[in-house]
Amino acid sequence: MEILWLLFAMVMIAFIVGPYIRRRRGGIRLVAPGSPDAADPANYGFDRQEELDIRIPGPDQDLMDALDNVRRTGQWQAASQLLAGTPREGERRWQRVQAFGGAAALELAAQPGVGAQWLKAWRLEAEQDAGGAQVHAELLVQQAWRHSGGVGSTDHRIILEEARDACRKAAVQAPEDPVPYITELAIARGLAYSEAEFDALWAKVIDRAPEHMGAHIAALHYWCAKWHGSREQADAFAHAAAARAPRGSLLAALPLFSVYENTPDIVMTAYYDSAVVTRAVEGALYAVNSAREDDPMQAHVRHLLLMFLVHMERWAEAMEQVRHVDGYVGALPWSQSEDPAAMYAVYRALAVAGYEANGGSPATLPR
């Protein structure tokens, strides 16, 4: 799948950046570089590719300030204070734990045995700090999935087993906090928990945060055919969550994540015109249009919508997603790429080109 995406990205980059594209009379027409018809995302004030933040899906200035403080000073206190002030039942705490764990994992990958000394100090100097315990567990999960030699390797399993112990210790320190159990969902997938074991873990999650969108996305992976379930099980899980979601909940978008996870490796053009895809996209659009603007999971849904809407050639709606998320690419589908910023930039450029080819311009895009 990753190879296919890489090939797709290479073709699209050549198609967009080499000569630029323009739609006319229902087809795509190439124009010379530098032509006034050339589609340029910079005309809309969008960030340059090298400026895109791959760490998070959307803006969180308090998190950015804390991450910068930790990196600059090598001290853990700013991270601890931020997590201590973040409500445990919401989406944002889980995202912030992920961000701190990811930052530590990247430091250790760049400087094995030397990086992330701030996290080591955090665990030694404040052993009972629930935030530090959760970040440590998340670090181990990210090391297992990104830097361990791959699924099936001995190191992968050993690190996941260590992460499971860390999650359970973190859960003891903050029994009502759903984050350690949500983190363990990724471990359950990697260690192939039985369905009964997974159901028991999932019960602990929903007892504490029944409408947690991030938790549902994490659980959905387990039920997909490429892991321990099937397309039917994944769809059933996603549609059941969407059906019981109250108005304003982004769980109505979960079927789109199921469609994405179950998309075949080789996709025919008509796939994106199918009723299954169309229904999932409409559900996700309804979800983002009815959810709170400050819901931290909004960006996750909009990033995935952007990919689907570009494939469906629904350019104006694709541009609406870009308008909301531009600047940040730490979300599906980009995060599964070797170069998230490049992959996002390809789809953004396609959205701009299609939008302009159908009469759009920077002046017509809502602000």
Side-chain angles (χ1 to χ4, degrees):
M1 185 71 175
E2 290 181 354
I3 293 174
L4 290 174
W5 276 119
L6 179 59
L7 291 173
F8 175 77
M10 292 173 65
V11 170
M12 289 298 99
I13 289 170
F15 190 56
I16 299 162
V17 180
Y20 296 81
I21 67 171
R22 186 184 182 191
R23 178 177 299 274
R24 178 172 290 178
R25 296 181 182 176
I28 298 291
R29 186 174 71 85
L30 302 180
V31 299
S35 163
D37 290 333
D40 186 355
N43 293 336
Y44 295 80
F46 298 148
D47 286 358
R48 296 165 60 88
Q49 180 178 323
E50 59 269 25
E51 296 170 344
L52 296 170
D53 196 321
I54 67 172
R55 298 172 295 178
I56 56 175
D60 185 343
Q61 191 57 52
D62 289 340
L63 173 61
M64 292 296 96
D65 291 344
L67 281 169
D68 289 343
N69 181 283
V70 167
R71 186 181 65 250
R72 185 179 67 256
T73 67
Q75 302 296 313
W76 53 269
Q77 283 80 5
S80 176
Q81 291 167 6
L82 180 64
L83 291 181
T86 306
R88 65 183 179 219
E89 66 278 0
E91 308 277 353
R92 199 172 295 281
R93 182 180 179 85
W94 174 66
Q95 290 189 9
R96 287 173 171 175
V97 167
Q98 283 191 308
F100 287 122
L106 288 173
E107 287 184 31
L108 280 168
Q111 298 177 294
V114 177
Q117 289 298 311
W118 55 271
L119 180 54
K120 184 177 181 180
W122 190 356
R123 299 300 294 129
L124 289 172
E125 297 169 18
E127 187 177 353
Q128 299 306 312
D129 187 324
Q134 292 171 10
V135 171
H136 177 237
E138 178 64 30
L139 160 68
L140 293 170
V141 169
Q142 295 207 25
Q143 282 185 311
W145 285 104
R146 297 176 182 273
H147 309 293
S148 69
V151 177
S153 70
T154 300
D155 284 349
H156 180 74
R157 183 170 189 85
I158 289 172
I159 297 173
L160 282 180
E161 289 173 347
E162 185 181 355
R164 178 176 58 192
D165 291 342
C167 282
R168 293 177 180 177
K169 290 176 182 177
V172 170
Q173 291 182 259
E176 299 306 313
D177 195 325
V179 169
Y181 300 104
I182 298 172
T183 302
E184 191 177 346
L185 293 172
I187 299 167
R189 175 164 46 102
L191 293 182
Y193 282 23
S194 68
E195 290 190 11
E197 290 173 319
F198 188 85
D199 285 340
L201 172 61
W202 182 240
K204 294 175 182 177
V205 174
I206 60 174
D207 280 350
R208 293 161 176 79
E211 296 174 19
H212 200 289
M213 179 67 172
H216 280 79
I217 294 173
L220 179 66
H221 295 315
Y222 176 90
W223 293 114
C224 289
K226 61 187 175 184
W227 288 106
H228 308 296
S230 65
R231 183 183 189 113
E232 291 73 23
Q233 287 175 296
D235 283 344
F237 177 80
H239 284 281
R244 66 174 180 267
R247 179 174 175 79
S249 169
L250 286 166
L251 286 175
L254 197 62
L256 185 63
F257 287 83
S258 182
V259 169
Y260 172 73
E261 291 296 337
N262 289 290
T263 297
D265 287 347
I266 299 177
V267 179
M268 306 305 291
T269 304
Y271 174 78
Y272 291 98
D273 296 325
S274 68
V276 170
V277 172
T278 300
R279 282 196 300 268
V281 166
E282 294 301 334
L285 286 169
Y286 166 81
V288 295
N289 290 330
S290 60
R292 302 188 328 269
E293 280 295 323
D294 63 348
D295 190 319
M297 292 303 293
Q298 274 258 19
H300 285 271
V301 180
R302 290 189 183 278
H303 279 291
L304 195 59
L305 270 170
L306 172 58
M307 188 202 80
F308 277 93
L309 291 167
V310 165
H311 281 293
M312 298 167 81
E313 299 186 8
R314 293 168 62 166
W315 308 116
E317 291 164 299
M319 285 292 284
E320 179 68 7
Q321 312 317 311
V322 176
R323 185 174 72 83
H324 280 88
V325 303
D326 193 69
Y328 306 90
V329 293
L332 290 173
W334 331 121
S335 59
Q336 291 193 337
S337 167
E338 290 294 326
D339 190 340
M343 184 179 176
Y344 168 81
V346 166
Y347 278 89
R348 181 180 64 182
L350 279 170
V352 170
Y355 181 67
E356 292 188 354
N358 285 272
S361 71
T364 61
L365 186 67
R367 297 293 176 183

